[in-house]
């Protein structure tokens, strides 16, 4: 039985069920708990007052160093980061800033169902699905993007504004190979579209093993073929850290650290106009001072 289940769903945990409705990494709890307790005991009194809504300098410095080392693998400037209460808040504010009412966003499908509310609660955006072909290893192809692009044009009478990519993928767990990301980035650039890369699962991978993979499937000619890449590659690596004004990357402590309840997400963009708009929007989705201190301490 799962001791972490809430009472409202504990009835499902009869011993014959495994609750899989939440993507949470409970394996980190025993590692993080003592660090969290220590950090909370050292919160400075100043953090009980107002703090920078987009994230304190110390938090953004810690995040930039962490992202450089472990996620995007290229230099990140703290002043290019905006922090909010999770990736959902970032998505809502980001698309509010880059889209108009009724615009379309292309989303590879299947996809994380909460994107529906993230893109519609304030923005009223049309989600146009880009089917991933299981027979082709769930690859996201330029042909599929092109078909969805024309479908969006026919439906709304406008060019779609963005592609929302999740890498590693949720719910498939597939890692996008570098060559696939290069093709997607090139296509978006040609179309003048925003490419929003949700990299919230960047560190939740199987190391250098493809999925699905097992001793049996590793043998030549046996088992299903590997799906996607072996090692995570950020879209930032693909463009050599030179993000255009139309490329935006998100990460959070929710999945890799198993700290969804802490509600801290970060957006990296080099679009100065967008960053200024998001700093204003962050007033409504700001991370509390004590929480900022906690995450700064954990990432140090």
């Amino acid at each position: 039985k799962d001791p972490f289940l809430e009472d409202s769903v504990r009835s499902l945990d009869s011993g014959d069920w495994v609750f899989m409705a939440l993507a949470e990494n409970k394996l980190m709890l025993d590692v993080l708990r003592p660090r969290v307790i220590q950090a909370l005991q050292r919160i400075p009194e100043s953090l009980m007052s107002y703090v920078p809504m987009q994230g304190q300098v110390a938090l953004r410095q810690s995040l930039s160093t962490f992202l450089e080392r472990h996620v995007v693998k290229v230099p990140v400037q703290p002043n290019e980061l905006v922090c909010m209460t999770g990736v959902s808040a970032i998505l809502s504010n980001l698309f509010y800033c880059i889209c108009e009412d009724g615009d379309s966003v292309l989303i590879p499908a299947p996809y994380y169902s909460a994107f529906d509310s993230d893109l519609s609660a304030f923005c009223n955006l049309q989600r146009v699905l880009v089917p991933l072909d299981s027979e082709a290893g769930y690859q996201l192809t330029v042909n599929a993007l092109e078909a969805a692009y024309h479908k969006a044009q026919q439906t709304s009478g406008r060019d779609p504004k963005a592609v929302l990519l999740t890498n590693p993928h949720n719910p498939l767990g597939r890692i996008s190979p570098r060559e696939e990301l290069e093709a997607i980035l090139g296509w978006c650039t040609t179309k003048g579209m925003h490419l929003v890369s949700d990299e919230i699962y960047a560190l939740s991978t199987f190391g250098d093993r493809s999925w699905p993979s097992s001793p049996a499937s590793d043998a030549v000619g046996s088992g299903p073929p590997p799906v996607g890449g072996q090692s995570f590659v950020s879209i930032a690596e693909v463009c050599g850290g030179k993000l255009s004004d139309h490329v935006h990357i998100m990460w959070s402590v929710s999945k890799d650290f198993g700290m969804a309840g802490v509600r801290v997400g970060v957006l990296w963009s080099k679009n100065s106009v967008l960053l200024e708009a998001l700093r204003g929007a962050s007033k409504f989705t700001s991370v509390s001072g004590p929480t900022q201190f906690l995450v700064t301490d954990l990432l140090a």
Side-chain angles (χ1 to χ4, degrees):
K1 292 187 177 183
D2 187 345
F4 300 104
L5 287 179
E6 296 289 340
D7 291 339
S8 59
V9 295
R10 196 175 298 279
S11 59
L12 295 175
D13 191 34
S14 63
D16 298 324
W17 297 82
V18 176
F19 190 67
M20 300 184 68
L22 296 176
E24 291 186 315
N25 178 9
K26 297 295 178 56
L27 299 176
M28 292 292 293
L29 187 60
D30 59 336
V31 176
L32 291 171
R33 187 196 297 272
R35 291 283 303 274
V36 170
I37 292 174
Q38 291 173 14
L40 292 177
Q41 292 174 338
R42 295 186 287 102
I43 293 176
E45 185 177 329
S46 61
L47 293 184
M48 300 303 175
S49 301
Y50 288 109
V51 295
M53 301 299 179
Q54 74 269 25
Q56 300 174 79
V57 173
L59 172 60
R60 287 182 282 119
Q61 287 176 334
S62 291
L63 279 166
S64 66
T65 300
F66 181 86
L67 293 173
E68 284 181 15
R69 292 177 178 173
H70 303 290
V71 181
V72 300
K73 308 293 180 63
V74 295
V76 179
Q77 299 302 316
N79 63 350
E80 297 170 346
L81 302 178
V82 176
C83 301
M84 299 183 195
T85 50
V87 164
S88 287
I90 291 173
L91 281 170
S92 182
N93 286 344
L94 171 63
F95 281 107
Y96 187 84
C97 291
I98 65 175
C99 293
E100 301 293 338
D101 183 82
D103 277 345
S104 299
V105 176
L106 307 186
I107 306 178
Y111 67 101
Y112 174 52
S113 60
F115 284 162
D116 289 340
S117 58
D118 295 343
L119 273 60
S120 64
F122 297 102
C123 307
N124 188 33
L125 301 180
Q126 305 301 313
R127 282 86 65 204
V128 178
L129 305 187
V130 187
L132 299 175
D133 185 1
S134 61
E135 297 298 322
Y138 298 100
Q139 181 181 5
L140 178 58
T141 65
V142 167
N143 287 340
L145 287 167
E146 195 71 38
Y149 184 91
H150 291 300
K151 179 181 178 181
Q153 285 180 316
Q154 294 169 359
T155 302
S156 67
R158 315 180 202 172
D159 294 342
K161 271 291 177 63
V163 172
L164 175 52
L165 182 69
T166 306
N167 180 39
H169 190 275
N170 179 15
L172 296 176
R174 179 183 184 273
I175 297 174
S176 298
R178 177 184 288 270
E179 58 272 17
E180 183 176 311
L181 293 173
E182 290 173 346
I184 296 167
L185 178 62
W187 184 84
C188 288
T189 301
T190 300
K191 296 291 186 182
M193 296 176 64
H194 291 272
L195 176 55
V196 180
S197 185
D198 180 356
E199 302 183 357
I200 195 171
Y201 290 100
L203 306 180
S204 299
T205 66
F206 292 104
D208 292 328
R209 296 173 67 91
S210 296
W211 176 91
S213 183
S214 66
S217 63
D218 287 340
V220 176
S222 63
V227 174
Q230 291 186 322
S231 300
F232 168 75
V233 177
S234 170
I235 198 70
E237 287 187 80
V238 174
C239 59
K242 297 178 181 179
L243 276 64
S244 72
D245 282 350
H246 286 70
V247 177
H248 322 289
I249 297 172
M250 300 174 296
W251 184 80
S252 167
V253 299
S254 294
K255 305 302 181 181
D256 290 335
F257 279 39
M259 299 178 70
V262 172
R263 310 309 304 146
V264 175
V266 60
L267 173 85
W268 179 30
S269 176
K270 289 182 177 287
N271 187 323
S272 59
V273 176
L274 173 63
L275 287 170
E276 190 61 31
L278 288 172
R279 291 181 189 114
S282 67
K283 295 177 182 178
F284 304 100
T285 53
S286 61
V287 181
S288 72
T291 302
Q292 291 192 39
F293 178 83
L294 167 62
V295 174
T296 302
D297 188 82
L298 289 176
L299 297 180

